[in-house]
Amino acid sequence: MTMPLTSANPATGKPLSSYPEHSDEQIGQLLQQVHRDWQGWRRTPLATRAELMRQAGRRLREQAESLARLMAQEMGKPIAQGRSEVEKCAWVCEYYADQAAAFLQAEPVATDAAKSYVSFEPLGVILAVMPWNFPFWQVFRAAAPALMAGNAVVLKHASNVTGCALAIERLLREAGLPEHLLRVALITSSRVATLIEHPLISGITLTGSSAAGSAVAALAGRHLKKTVLELGGSDPYLIFDDADLEPTVEVCVNSRLLNNGQSCIAAKRFIVMKAIRRRFEQRMVELMRARIVGDPLDETVQVGPLARHDLRDALHDQVVRSVKHGATALLGAAVPDSPGAYYPPTVLSGVTKGMPAFDEETFGPVAAVIEAADEADAVRLANDSSFGLGAAVFTRDLARGEWIAATELQAGCCFVNAVVRSDPRLPFGGVKQSGYGRELSVFGIREFVNIKTVYMAAPQ
């Protein structure tokens, strides 16, 4: 029995829209349509694919205002951040339009053959299981390289951003891509297994929780299907006592509060040298307190609501349990007595191993400050996590920062004196419970291709 997919405005709690769920028969028809369009797309010249992808970028920019407004309404993203997200999606479309030919160029290999080389051929229909927190960027980050490589995409988006999912489907059609090259499967998460198992699905990319990634990987492995998993994070920012404190705290606060704190690569654990911890905390509290919280459609607002009330309640439970185990709340830590799924910017001091704020991913505007005795202790604390997505180091000694980032930190994305962020030009992904595989750059486009050996002997 199918159920409607519903969305609600997290700023007010009021319902927005309801969408009928696809039946099994409709899903079967959809997969056949996508596979049929893929057969033509895989033979479409790269130059043609590139021009259509550039047109998608143009469409994104033309519709930036309405798409940003849709994100604000469905998941609470401040509208200015929504515009930036749309611009980043246009950038990734253009990046792969410009670079795909070079990335997919066959590579000759010298052997005893008359001719031998490695080619990169599309796999087929890729299932993209995407979250609500960056409802456009997460999709385009995976879809742009997959489509440029000659694949097709079935999108299973989070139910609370179904409007965003359908907007993506419509926009790509308007840009001139084949009608069924990217289709939205309107199903609940409980039915994702039927898609993974379907013989027309060739690979799966998922962005989500570690638990979801484990379940998808197990099922995909049973059916011998390629997966890329971008999962949770508890990103450590290491602040050494020679860091330029004022800009460092500003960067830390910006990273912690971006997207209302709902980002897998947001700074979450701030590991600060003992000599500067109190000054760091004092300035962080001042900056966090000054951020404007409110209606995400208000241009002045910097922090909106969390995407759903249950997510807000789960975050508050993590804060309460951390305080119960000895952390001190320097700011926030209380559920507002007002409509909407709001949670205040919160700073926890004295966080240690064994507290949820240290061990778990806190998906919201909660900063955990952890004191370190020295460099070795800071690195130990940073790596003492089941996650390994992003990490950052702040120091005036660039050689020291580079050494720690490049060789000491166990994470897929390590930055020095800058906020951890994704960039189409650089590979993105994690280690440990943060997943495997890479998105973006040349590595991302080659995740869902058949890396094929072609060997030709001379005629006898």
Side-chain angles (χ1 to χ4, degrees), residues 237-252 270-277 279-280 283 375 392-398 400-401 404 415-418:
Y237 277 31
L238 286 65
I239 297 93
F240 292 112
D241 48 16
D242 67 339
D244 193 346
L245 200 60
E246 183 63 29
T248 294
V249 179
E250 183 77 33
V251 167
C252 290
F270 298 91
I271 301 171
V272 188
M273 293 295 106
K274 181 177 181 179
I276 62 168
R277 178 181 62 80
R279 286 193 293 135
F280 178 90
R283 188 60 180 142
E375 179 182 303
V393 181
F394 292 84
T395 175
R396 285 192 177 94
D397 186 340
L398 294 183
R400 176 197 202 188
I404 293 170
F415 285 52
V416 178
N417 295 330

Side-chain angles (χ1 to χ4, degrees), residues 33 137 166 246 347-348:
Q33 291 169 330
W137 171 242
L166 294 173
E246 183 63 29
V347 179
L348 298 179

Side-chain angles (χ1 to χ4, degrees), residues 19 46 138 149 156-157 159 196 261 264 309 320-321 400 420:
Y19 306 88
L46 261 171
Q138 303 279 18
K156 186 324 187 173
H157 218 327
S159 298
I196 296 173
C264 47
H309 282 82
V320 169
R321 286 187 287 123
R400 176 197 202 188
V420 178

